[in-house]
């Protein structure tokens, strides 16, 4: 399907001075797509040139439209020497390739240089015209939409969920293909950025082709990663969940406050092959009720090149799924009620590989085989748990020199067989686990494996809610907490941190040493998690994410999860300290002291997190005798007699203690680290899931923070204990900095708190974190400063003039980056001076502080004035939604890779100044691209890669950042949907 790409260069502003004699610039622009390049005229002696060029037209194939980015290069014209580069802009064309996408990309884009950062802005207009054809053997996947969100997008319903898709592409890394004597940093960095953009586009196209073969039209939970293997090469990988999505009409759009994806049923009723994943019933009145006897199918049609995302009933191409995985993987982490029948627990696999050089980029079989081994191991673990699927699945790598650690993890689960394709799974309706559906509040906690042949030792009891099936004493998962789960009290963030030194080595010796350390590190991380979970009197972990990073002389491990108390699981017993020298009075006294501190901490945590589970023993004994029908359900058991069940009912008050033995120095260190965890300040809550368990009243006050800490080890004689303390302090200080920045927003919650750890160089530890803060509306009045700055510092309550643009091709005004930063800094100083004087008002919510007249549409993109400069703000959040808002349109995926290098590190404020300036520039470029698409928010934002390489002796540093997210248009929950001219640009 060929197409025509048209680009127009309008103007530039705030360009840097390139001519020392005149303090001006002779700027012109090169526009390149594929092998075709156009140039604008030279605009002499101006820092704000006006080109107003003609439309540059590129006639290309659809394969190139997906693979290639549009390159806009701004240069300074020199008559007697080579033209000087000012900077570049890469524009992804993929968001324009869907029929419901924006018709034009129009806006001010920051001009980015890998050496100097942002150097002005350029106004560009881009359009795409596609010509449909009937070629069945096309090489593109135009029309397949990609979503970073790990749940069904909010204005869609899932007609079908087909299963797991994965792909990877490999190439040589330009950074290592240059001769050092002739290498220039800018040329190498730009070659690398361009290659990664090409590989990213090729990867999306290949994933999209697989989705089309399955009969889908979207990829949900899309996770793309870059493996920088150094001299071995460069690998770009992606995984996701193939789906068929149907756009919901505005009248049937679900309420975002439910925080649940919407599944619907296929509308077709013709006969054909059964679907790989039956759809769930939806509450929307416009959709038919679920009918288990009604098969869903697709029929072949010659219109397979149609770009429409909304499936046409009975007309979409349907390919039989003989290749569908027997054991499906799902990258989704949030599911609708009834989808998860049982959850078995976390399954993970790790492998250490020695990197070999990529000789043929067209044959990535070696890397494919590595990941296939990992997935097969995950499948075997899942089957051992009696499960037939893995949900919340993710993959990651850690590379140091020629050694690579491959990691994969997920949650083994049993899915409702009504929603699975017949014959795909070895489970039928005759299975005893589905004879009577379990209550949704506790059913997913019931064990899926046979209690007589358990794959690991565990203490089982009958469910504390339904009293019908067995549950474990503790549950670990990688998914979000199901919305229907019965939770007692509130949740909290739980982290386990671990460092281990290793000897420097090369090749197989190094790989063997790492392989020997990995199992013990993972065991210790799980032990820490279990200890901290018991200390908080909780019994389940959700959103578990374990990272193990490898360096030349150390391994770092960081595990993050959200702890909760599930009412269906038994209450955790206390923590009992035991020693091996009972005759030593001093040791006994020490043990008693530690025991008292632990008991006091558990009591305080119960009060802090409001964990007061009901005493089930009294409830059972004091309840009236149930009738025969209820009694048969109450004492139902598949493997034990009723006498054994009765005995179990009478012993619920007995809770075994969790014993920790102090047998060596490491154990004492573990106990001390357990007790010295810094408590969360009063008024703050933190979790690494989207929803904070136990708290559901939020205002729309949302802020996202990103912070990175780098620590250089100075002591060469560090021990494991000393290294652990440094690493723990680094993570704690990062959390404390978040609390300090948000102290004015109490009560508030840090949601989707993501930590990344890396060892980029020898004796260098890097910890990064980003999260969204939500203002909690627990109290009637709360102290909260307005999140929006205004130009008048004397006003204590700034009112942003929010409005939705109604112009079809209105360019988005972003203002000068430098001017904007200096203006913000000045306003922050004035605001701090106002705060110190005490002139702060209390408001109950942001809704009350910024009212709008009735009937006026409000979007989140606020146009604010800073000294006459209009600034458009695009909200960014790692959540898949914005509280108090409704997503009305997804504009496409944002997947950007940036490189920044400096030879004046000290002059730029050291590592901290260089790194955070770069992150701020990345924010501005992401916001500019989203605004040019007509969006006002980025959801599911993540920074998947942040690699810093520093050479303080040469005053040099280099940083690589990869960010992704979904560009969306949001309106407030109480507002009407904007007109079509407002929603698209």
């Amino acid at each position: 399907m060929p197409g025509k790409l048209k680009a127009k260069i309008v103007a530039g502003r705030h360009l840097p001075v390139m001519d020392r004699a005149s303090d001006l610039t002779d700027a012109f622009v090169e526009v390149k797509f594929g092998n075709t390049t156009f140039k604008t005229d030279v605009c002499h002696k101006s820092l704000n040139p006006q080109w107003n060029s003609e439309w540059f037209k590129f006639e290309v194939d659809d394969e190139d439209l997906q693979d290639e980015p549009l390159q806009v290069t701004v240069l300074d014209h020199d008559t007697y020497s080579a033209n000087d580069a000012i900077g570049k802009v890469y524009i992804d064309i993929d968001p324009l390739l869907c029929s419901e996408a924006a018709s034009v990309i129009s806006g001010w884009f920051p001009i980015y240089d890998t050496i100097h950062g942002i150097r002005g802005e350029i106004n560009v207009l881009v359009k795409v015209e596609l010509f449909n054809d009937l070629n069945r053997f096309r090489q593109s996947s135009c029309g397949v939409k990609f979503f970073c969100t790990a749940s069904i997008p909010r204005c869609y319903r899932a007609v079908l969920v087909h299963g797991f898709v994965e792909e990877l592409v490999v190439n040589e890394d330009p950074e290592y293909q240059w001769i050092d004597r002739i290498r220039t940093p800018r040329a190498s960095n730009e070659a690398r950025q361009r290659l990664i953009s090409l590989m990213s586009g090729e990867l999306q196209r290949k994933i999209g082709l697989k989705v089309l073969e399955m009969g889908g039209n979207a990829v949900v939970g899309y996770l793309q990663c870059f493996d920088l293997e150094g001299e071995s090469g460069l690998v770009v990988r992606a995984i996701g969940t193939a789906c068929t999505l149907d756009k919901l009409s505005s009248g049937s759009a679900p309420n975002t406050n439910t925080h649940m994806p919407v599944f619907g049923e296929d509308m077709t009723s013709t006969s054909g092959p059964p679907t790989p994943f039956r759809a769930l019933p939806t509450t929307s009145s416009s959709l038919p009720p679920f009918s288990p006897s009604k098969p869903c199918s697709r029929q072949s049609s010659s219109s397979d090149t149609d770009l429409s995302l909304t499936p046409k009933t009975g007309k979409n191409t349907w390919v039989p799924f003989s290749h569908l995985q027997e054991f499906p993987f799902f990258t989704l982490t949030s599911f609708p009620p009834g989808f998860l029948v049982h959850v078995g627990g976390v399954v993970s696999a790790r492998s250490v590989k020695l990197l070999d050089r990529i000789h043929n980029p067209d044959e990535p079989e070696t890397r494919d085989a590595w990941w296939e081994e990992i997935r097969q191991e995950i499948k075997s673990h899942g089957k051992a748990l009696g499960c037939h699927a893995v949900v919340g699945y993710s993959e990651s790598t850690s590379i140091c020199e020629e050694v690579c650690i491959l990691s994969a993890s997920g949650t083994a689960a049993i899915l409702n067989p009504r929603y699975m394709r017949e014959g795909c799974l070895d489970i039928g309706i005759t299975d005893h686990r589905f004879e009577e559906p379990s209550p949704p509040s506790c059913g997913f906690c019931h064990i899926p494996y046979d209690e007589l042949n358990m794959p690991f030792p565990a203490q089982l009891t009958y469910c504390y809610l339904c009293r019908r099936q067995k549950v474990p004493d503790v549950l670990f998962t990688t998914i979000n907490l199901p919305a229907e789960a019965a939770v007692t009290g509130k949740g909290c963030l739980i982290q386990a941190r671990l460092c281990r030194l290793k000897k420097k080595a090369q090749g197989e010796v190094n790989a063997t040493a790492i392989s020997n350390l990995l199992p013990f590190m993972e065991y210790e991380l799980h032990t820490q998690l279990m200890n901290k979970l018991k200390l908080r009197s909780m019994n389940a972990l959700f959103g578990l994410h374990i990272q193990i990073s490898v360096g030349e002389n150390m391994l770092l491990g960081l595990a993050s999860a959200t702890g909760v108390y599930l009412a269906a699981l038994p209450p955790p017993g206390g923590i009992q300290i035991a020693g091996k020298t009972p005759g030593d009075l001093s040791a006994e006294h020490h043990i008693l002291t530690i025991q008292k501190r632990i008991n006091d901490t558990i009591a305080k945590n119960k009060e802090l997190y409001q964990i007061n589970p009901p005493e089930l023993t009294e409830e059972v004994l004091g309840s009236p005798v149930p009738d025969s029908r209820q009694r048969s359900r109450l004492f139902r058991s598949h493997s034990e007699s009723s006498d054994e069940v009765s005995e179990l009912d009478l012993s619920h008050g007995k809770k075994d203690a969790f014993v920790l033995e102090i047998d060596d120095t490491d154990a004492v260190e573990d106990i001390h680290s357990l007790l010295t965890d810094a408590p969360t300040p009063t008024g703050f809550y933190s979790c690494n899931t989207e929803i904070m368990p136990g708290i559901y009243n939020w205002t729309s006050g949302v802020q996202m923070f990103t912070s990175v800490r780098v620590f250089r080890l100075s002591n060469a004689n560090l021990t494991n204990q000393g290294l652990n303390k440094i690493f723990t302090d680094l993570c704690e200080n990062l959390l404390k900095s978040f609390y300090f920045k948000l102290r004015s927003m109490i009560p508030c919650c840090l949601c989707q708190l993501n930590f990344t750890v890396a060892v980029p160089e020898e004796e260098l530890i890097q910890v990064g974190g980003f999260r969204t803060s939500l203002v909690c509306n627990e109290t009637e009045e709360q102290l909260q400063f307005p999140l929006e700055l205004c130009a008048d510092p004397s006003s204590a309550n700034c009112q942003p003039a929010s409005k939705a643009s109604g112009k079809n091709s209105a360019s988005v005004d972003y203002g000068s980056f430098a001017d904007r930063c200096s203006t913000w800094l000045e306003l922050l100083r004035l605001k701090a001076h106002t705060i110190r004087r005490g002139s702060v008002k209390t408001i109950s919510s942001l809704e009350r502080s910024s009212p709008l007249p009735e009937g006026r549409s409000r979007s989140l993109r606020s146009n604010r004035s800073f000294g006459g400069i209009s600034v458009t703000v695009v909200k960014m959040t790692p959540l898949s939604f914005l509280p108090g808002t409704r997503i009305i349109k997804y504009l496409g995926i944002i997947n950007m890779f940036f490189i920044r290098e400096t030879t004046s590190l000290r002059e730029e404020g050291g590592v901290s100044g260089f790194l955070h300036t770069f992150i701020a520039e990345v924010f501005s470029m992401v916001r500019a691209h989203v605004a040019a698409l007509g969006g006002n928010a980025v959801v599911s934002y993540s920074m998947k890669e942040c690699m810093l390489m520093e050479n303080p002796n040469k005053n040099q540093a280099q940083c690589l950042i990869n960010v992704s997210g979904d560009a969306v248009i949001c309106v407030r929950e109480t507002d009407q949907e904007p007109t079509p001219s407002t929603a698209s640009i």
Side-chain angles (χ1 to χ4, degrees), residues 703-707 738 741-742 745 769-773 923:
Q703 273 190 319
M704 189 186 76
F705 282 84
T706 300
S707 184
F738 287 153
K741 290 173 183 176
L742 294 169
M745 296 176 63
F770 64 94
R771 55 97 189 95
T772 288
S773 62
F923 282 178

Side-chain angles (χ1 to χ4, degrees), residues 418-484:
R418 290 190 306 141
Y419 312 133
M420 305 304 295
R421 178 189 176 194
E422 296 174 8
C424 174
L425 303 172
D426 294 329
I427 191 164
I429 202 64
T430 57
D431 195 300
H432 68 80
R433 291 173 286 193
F434 305 104
E435 290 180 14
E436 288 188 15
S438 303
S441 59
C442 65
F444 71 94
C445 301
H446 300 162
I447 61 169
Y449 40 84
D450 183 5
E451 59 186 291
L452 299 179
N453 298 302
M454 289 191 298
F456 51 83
Q459 296 180 358
L460 303 181
T461 60
Y462 272 82
C463 176
Y464 273 47
L465 290 180
C466 68
R467 311 284 295 153
R468 287 186 298 182
Q469 295 191 30
K470 295 292 185 68
V471 295
D473 57 338
V474 67
L475 183 64
F476 284 14
T477 72
T478 60
I479 59 176
N480 284 325
L481 178 70
E484 68 273 17

Side-chain angles (χ1 to χ4, degrees), residues 732-847:
E732 291 288 352
N733 290 336
L734 192 62
L735 278 172
K736 289 176 182 176
S737 70
F738 287 153
Y739 297 141
F740 180 78
K741 290 173 183 176
L742 294 169
R743 63 194 183 281
S744 61
M745 296 176 63
I746 292 176
C748 79
C749 175
L750 311 186
C751 289
Q752 202 75 41
L753 186 59
N754 294 321
F755 272 71
T756 57
V757 294
V759 191
E761 294 179 6
E762 184 182 359
E763 299 180 352
L764 195 68
I765 299 176
Q766 176 185 312
V767 179
F770 64 94
R771 55 97 189 95
T772 288
S773 62
L774 299 177
V775 180
C776 179
N777 196 19
E778 287 188 313
T779 55
E780 185 64 26
E781 293 289 321
Q782 66 188 18
L783 180 66
Q784 176 188 306
F785 304 138
L787 301 183
E788 314 289 349
L789 299 176
C790 67
D792 183 11
S794 62
S795 172
N797 197 3
C798 307
Q799 303 295 330
S802 302
K803 63 179 181 178
S805 172
K807 296 182 179 179
N808 230 10
S809 60
S811 61
V812 179
D813 197 355
Y814 247 76
S816 166
F817 180 80
D819 292 347
R820 191 159 75 249
C821 285
S822 60
T823 307
W824 282 348
L825 290 173
E826 185 62 30
L827 289 174
L828 285 172
R829 293 190 192 98
L830 292 170
K831 181 65 68 176
H833 182 62
T834 304
I835 293 170
R836 284 195 294 270
R837 292 204 311 265
S839 57
V840 179
K841 294 182 179 180
T842 58
I843 55 177
S844 61
S845 71
L846 287 182
E847 297 293 334

Side-chain angles (χ1 to χ4, degrees), residues 554-575:
M554 71 180 80
L555 286 174
L556 292 184
L558 178 66
S560 302
T562 299
V564 296
Y565 185 98
L566 291 179
L569 269 55
I575 297 179

Side-chain angles (χ1 to χ4, degrees), residues 151-157 248-263 282-285 335-337 483 690-691 696-698 847 880-888 890 970-975 977:
S151 60
I152 300 302
R154 302 200 169 255
C155 51
Y156 293 91
R157 67 185 181 96
L248 286 171
S249 62
S250 58
S252 61
N255 188 345
T256 57
N257 290 333
T258 59
H259 310 304
M260 289 190 300
V262 176
F263 276 52
T282 178
T283 55
S284 172
S285 59
F335 308 95
E690 284 201 340
I691 304 300
Y696 307 102
N697 299 322
W698 304 107
E847 297 293 334
S880 63
F881 63 95
L882 282 170
T885 68
R886 182 162 48 93
I887 297 175
I888 60 172
Y890 283 81
C970 289
V971 295
R972 297 194 184 272
E973 198 59 58
T974 55
D975 295 334
E977 186 170 336

